[in-house]
Amino acid sequence: MARLYIIDQSLCKPGGHHFDYVNCVARAAHLDSHETIVATNRRFVSRRQTKNDAELPLHTIAKVVPSFRNSTYQKVSWLAGLRHLKRATSIEDLSVEEHASRLFSMQRFLRRRRTKLFRKQRRKVIAQFACDCSRFFGAAVPEKFERGDQIFFTTVSELELMGLAIYLASNPSSRLATWHLQFHFNLFDGRTPEFESQSAVQRKVRGCFLAALSRIPDHNLMFYCTSEELVEQYSRLNVADFWRLPYPVNQRFSPEGNRIETRTVDAAKIPAKAFATSSNAAGLTHDPENVDSFETSERATTSSVLPRITSHSGTARMVVPGELRREKGSAVHLQGVIDGLWDEYLSTGRLQVAVQRPNRKMLGRQKLELTLPEGSHGVTDAPVIDYLRHPLSEEQYCRFIRGADFGLLLHDSRAYYSRRAGVLGELLSCGKPVIVPAGCWLAHQLQEPQFRHVDRMMRQLPSGRKVELREMSFDSDNAPLSGGIVSFDRQRHPFRADCAKSPDENIVIVSFDWQHPQSRGVDARIHCTESTADGSQQTSTQVVGHRFSAGKCHVMFRVDFGGNKIGLEIENAFDDSTASIRNLSMDLFQADNPRQVPLGAIGMIYADRDSIQDCVAELVEHLDHYQFSAQDYSQRWWNAHDPKRTLDYLVGSGNANLSVA
């Protein structure tokens, strides 16, 4: 009988994303009647994690074998240890001339010593992994591998790849099995324009791949990444095909809990704030996570189980999940949000913030404490800030996420340009709107629904007028190029244009097509400024990336300041390189009440830290709309991240379709 092996050498204890990932796939395999063997770190102790029979503990659904001495987080790894290394100045990257130019022989000696120790430690980790593989498979496969066996390494670096190659070369029967290796770690830091300066790391990792693959030319290996952005990075190695494997979300966050009895909906009865995304309004034709293609409709769904719409006449609960460690933002950013929202939302009881924090002092630092204005004690019946410990048990964490009205994710957009944020998948699966930073993987998941929302609004708003590029006034310093192409960089040469508006025009939709680059990794920061005759101004800013389905890129602004002129400033959002767009235009509309027109769907993308509080206010004011669209979208997201789908790709039915993954 063919077997499924799930191997995570970093799985040391129940809880955390390593355990959650393995548990999701193992449970799907158990339900699909696969013989499943799970290999973990030697420190793992399998025990019952929950009393809920629907959530079987890992040891009851698979054979669990603690086998591996090391985790993948090794300081000497080019991939998994990059947080500990300075890439451009690594000791292995110094040229002979640089070594020779050292003034003191002691420095040269110390550098050589460190280089020797660095390489020795890498060889030690590689050899240990090969040894652990031999020991584990020697016990788990006493005879030999069979054709159809599937072996899935959930998280690997170049060190595990080289160690595995040593073991595979020593076991001829391993050629009968299929070996699946998944890479979570960034190959490059930052965004696409920064990759060219990191050729040293690319060269090192490519050498590791070539050395490993040369040992096992006849083996059946499949290489995966956890996001499309990572696939693009690893494809630059030009050593193998990489695919994005559907990332499983825990069954506890499936949308089933958000559904109510089947009923028929009259489109006219959909809440006014939700009219813009009645079912399918936030639908996709394609997005970076490949949420399946869905046909869109101009009407509400009339015969399906619909998302639950909750009355929010009371307090809206905003959750900030996870520990506020450095790459996820910091308390100072959340403190600014608290200060900005205090008068209108927090002090009035319209909003409550729930945040996780460690219970104990860590390394001498105090627990996270968010300060409130003096005299704020008792201003509302419920606490303004609800502190929960970090980490929570699985059951408590599930209640924490499901009890949210919406989530705020304070992740650093550069660090998470390619990295997944598991909590985003959990929130979207159970139908919770989210506020995320621009210019990263998190924003890419919301962007297509945002574009589709604006597409719909352009059809539903009262007839407006279109202002083409040729009708705008612009700076002579950076005039449009031939063919209506507009170029810009960051700060030095932004593109500026303006046009007249009537005081009654209160919604502006800016549209364009990307000219250069055509691939993601560069975003446009658009400042929209409304000016009055006396010189008063009001500016809003949004960041727009690429669109990967048919249609233009859009961004919508409210301009209800009563001004007579609209000014646009467009710049490269995150990089100094020059970018360009074409077919720039503005559509101006006269909505009866612009404050009732929601700016997005499923959530909001904040351009910078200063705009977070505006995004929070947007969701509070249009909470029914955002909850309706997020709950409608949740089934689509879940379908793309159901652990059964991940399993299907691994055990056979998905492998034939990897070209569309």
Side-chain angles (χ1 to χ4, degrees):
M1 178 180 179
R3 292 154 294 207
L4 172 65
Y5 299 86
I6 305 172
I7 298 169
D8 191 330
Q9 68 278 9
S10 300
L11 179 49
C12 300
K13 61 182 179 180
H17 69 273
H18 284 281
F19 177 81
D20 191 58
Y21 193 107
V22 170
N23 205 29
C24 283
V25 179
R27 182 172 294 111
H30 172 75
L31 295 174
D32 214 27
S33 302
H34 289 280
E35 180 186 354
T36 308
I37 302 98
V38 174
T40 69
N41 192 280
R42 292 185 184 181
R43 289 176 288 168
F44 183 82
V45 178
S46 181
R47 64 178 184 270
R48 189 174 182 83
Q49 288 86 33
T50 174
K51 296 180 180 180
N52 185 351
D53 291 337
E55 292 291 326
L56 295 175
L58 186 58
H59 73 277
T60 66
I61 59 179
K63 180 181 179 181
V64 181
V65 184
S67 301
F68 288 84
R69 183 179 298 275
N70 298 319
S71 78
T72 195
Y73 300 100
Q74 299 296 317
K75 293 182 179 182
V76 292
S77 169
W78 292 108
L79 294 173
L82 289 178
R83 72 187 67 182
H84 307 289
L85 298 174
K86 296 181 179 179
R87 286 184 160 178
T89 59
S90 171
I91 52 179
E92 289 202 327
D93 289 332
L94 291 174
S95 66
V96 175
E97 291 76 15
E98 289 174 309
H99 276 295
S101 68
R102 299 298 176 183
L103 297 178
F104 302 101
S105 59
M106 180 60 72
Q107 288 180 322
R108 291 198 299 271
F109 170 78
L110 291 175
R111 286 188 177 277
R112 290 175 184 141
R113 179 65 176 168
R114 287 165 55 195
T115 299
K116 184 177 180 179
L117 292 175
F118 179 86
R119 293 171 176 168
K120 180 179 179 180
Q121 183 61 28
R122 283 176 62 85
R123 290 193 296 268
K124 182 178 178 180
V125 173
I126 292 168
Q128 183 64 55
F129 191 80
C131 179
D132 290 343
C133 284
S134 180
R135 183 182 300 109
F136 166 68
F137 288 113
V141 192
E143 299 294 332
K144 64 177 182 178
F145 289 99
E146 298 177 1
R147 194 170 302 279
D149 284 350
Q150 309 290 332
I151 300 92
F152 178 35
F153 292 82
T154 63
T155 309
V156 296
S157 71
E158 84 284 7
L159 298 181
E160 284 87 7
L161 171 63
M162 290 188 287
L164 178 63
I166 294 173
Y167 164 70
L168 295 182
S170 70
N171 187 340
S173 74
S174 62
R175 288 194 290 267
L176 297 173
T178 301
W179 301 82
H180 306 267
L181 287 77
Q182 182 167 231
F183 294 83
H184 285 252
F185 306 107
N186 292 350
L187 175 60
F188 303 110
D189 287 335
R191 301 181 175 87
T192 306
E194 302 175 56
F195 295 170
E196 295 300 328
S197 64
Q198 301 175 51
S199 59
V201 171
Q202 180 177 343
R203 185 178 65 255
K204 296 289 185 183
V205 175
R206 174 179 163 80
C208 295
F209 269 83
L210 292 176
L213 296 179
S214 67
R215 287 177 175 266
I216 46 175
D218 300 323
H219 282 72
N220 186 12
L221 276 74
M222 305 292 295
F223 296 101
Y224 307 102
C225 295
T226 54
S227 71
E228 194 65 35
E229 291 82 352
L230 282 180
V231 168
E232 293 175 1
Q233 290 190 21
Y234 279 84
S235 295
R236 289 174 174 243
L237 295 175
N238 197 28
V239 293
D241 291 329
F242 290 85
W243 310 97
R244 186 189 59 79
L245 185 67
Y247 195 96
V249 174
N250 194 315
Q251 179 72 35
R252 288 174 173 266
F253 298 105
S254 70
E256 296 304 317
N258 295 341
R259 303 293 177 175
I260 58 175
E261 69 278 2
T262 302
R263 58 189 175 95
T264 301
V265 173
D266 182 346
K269 295 181 180 179
I270 295 175
K273 291 181 180 180
F275 78 96
T277 49
S278 58
S279 177
N280 290 327
L284 299 179
T285 57
H286 173 74
D287 80 351
E289 276 296 294
N290 275 297
V291 176
D292 284 344
S293 298
F294 291 92
E295 295 297 327
T296 58
S297 171
E298 295 301 315
R299 58 181 176 81
T301 300
T302 56
S303 58
S304 64
V305 180
L306 288 183
R308 172 176 56 85
I309 297 296
T310 309
S311 172
H312 289 285
S313 55
T315 301
R317 182 175 173 88
M318 178 180 77
V319 301
V320 186
E323 184 182 0
L324 292 180
R325 59 182 187 261
R326 183 175 59 183
E327 71 269 26
K328 288 188 176 181
S330 65
V332 66
H333 299 125
L334 185 56
Q335 182 64 61
V337 175
I338 298 297
D339 295 341
L341 295 170
W342 174 256
D343 290 340
E344 190 169 357
Y345 296 100
L346 291 168
S347 67
T348 59
R350 298 183 65 190
L351 179 67
Q352 179 192 55
V353 178
V355 61
Q356 288 184 267
R357 65 178 180 182
N359 280 337
R360 302 175 182 175
K361 297 179 182 179
M362 298 180 63
L363 301 177
R365 291 178 295 177
Q366 295 289 333
K367 293 188 299 185
L368 168 68
E369 289 289 350
L370 298 168
T371 60
L372 301 177
E374 293 185 9
S376 61
H377 180 71
V379 295
T380 62
D381 295 334
V384 175
I385 310 294
D386 185 13
Y387 293 106
L388 294 93
R389 66 182 178 87
H390 177 81
L392 296 168
S393 70
E394 185 178 4
E395 184 68 32
Q396 292 170 327
Y397 181 73
C398 181
R399 290 200 302 267
F400 173 59
I401 295 295
R402 283 201 172 277
D405 287 312
F406 63 95
L408 170 62
L409 304 184
L410 293 171
H411 293 61
D412 180 86
S413 66
R414 184 176 180 274
Y416 278 82
Y417 169 71
S418 301
R419 291 172 59 184
R420 299 185 62 93
V423 66
L424 177 65
E426 296 163 354
L427 287 163
L428 291 180
S429 289
C430 59
K432 304 300 180 182
V434 286
I435 300 173
V436 301
C440 62
W441 176 86
L442 297 90
H444 297 165
Q445 309 318 305
L446 268 65
Q447 199 150 249
E448 182 62 27
Q450 302 280 40
F451 289 145
R452 296 300 296 263
H453 168 72
V454 181
D455 286 339
R456 187 176 178 86
M457 295 308 302
M458 293 180 74
R459 297 191 295 269
Q460 290 192 342
L461 287 168
S463 297
R465 67 183 179 96
K466 181 180 290 291
V467 180
E468 303 284 358
L469 179 62
R470 63 178 179 274
E471 303 173 70
M472 303 178 194
S473 302
F474 43 81
D475 285 351
S476 58
D477 291 343
N478 193 13
L481 305 175
S482 176
I485 296 174
V486 170
S487 66
F488 48 85
D489 57 19
R490 184 168 60 171
Q491 298 179 345
R492 293 174 301 167
H493 303 100
F495 176 78
R496 296 186 179 93
D498 58 65
C499 71
K501 69 174 283 286
S502 72
D504 295 332
E505 292 172 329
N506 45 37
I507 297 290
V508 169
I509 296 177
V510 179
S511 305
F512 62 88
D513 297 307
W514 279 96
Q515 174 72 18
H516 176 78
Q518 290 291 337
S519 59
R520 69 177 130 236
V522 173
D523 297 79
R525 188 182 303 274
I526 302 179
H527 307 275
C528 180
T529 302
E530 182 183 11
S531 304
T532 62
D534 62 5
S536 300
Q537 293 184 338
Q538 179 173 283
T539 300
S540 298
T541 302
Q542 295 197 45
V543 171
V544 187
H546 287 68
R547 185 168 189 173
F548 296 95
S549 65
K552 289 180 173 292
C553 297
H554 301 300
V555 60
M556 181 162 60
F557 298 92
R558 294 192 195 96
V559 286
D560 55 352
F561 192 51
N564 59 2
K565 187 172 73 171
I566 290 293
L568 290 181
E569 181 175 307
I570 306 175
E571 60 179 344
N572 192 327
F574 304 108
D575 191 72
D576 292 331
S577 60
T578 299
S580 58
I581 59 176
R582 54 188 170 83
N583 301 326
L584 175 67
S585 65
M586 286 190 287
D587 289 271
L588 286 77
F589 299 92
Q590 299 181 25
D592 293 337
N593 187 346
R595 292 290 158 179
Q596 290 186 355
V597 178
L599 295 178
I602 300 178
M604 288 292 289
I605 301 171
Y606 58 85
D608 49 47
R609 303 289 185 181
D610 293 337
S611 60
I612 295 176
Q613 68 184 58
D614 291 335
C615 292
V616 174
E618 166 73 13
L619 260 70
V620 174
E621 295 295 338
H622 301 91
L623 192 52
D624 284 341
H625 158 78
Y626 285 98
Q627 287 196 322
F628 192 95
S629 61
Q631 290 176 12
D632 184 44
Y633 182 71
S634 63
Q635 188 64 56
R636 303 171 187 187
W637 181 270
W638 170 254
N639 289 344
H641 298 84
D642 186 333
K644 178 62 166 61
R645 184 169 181 177
T646 308
L647 179 69
D648 287 344
Y649 275 82
L650 295 172
V651 300
S653 61
N655 289 338
N657 299 312
L658 280 172
S659 60
V660 296

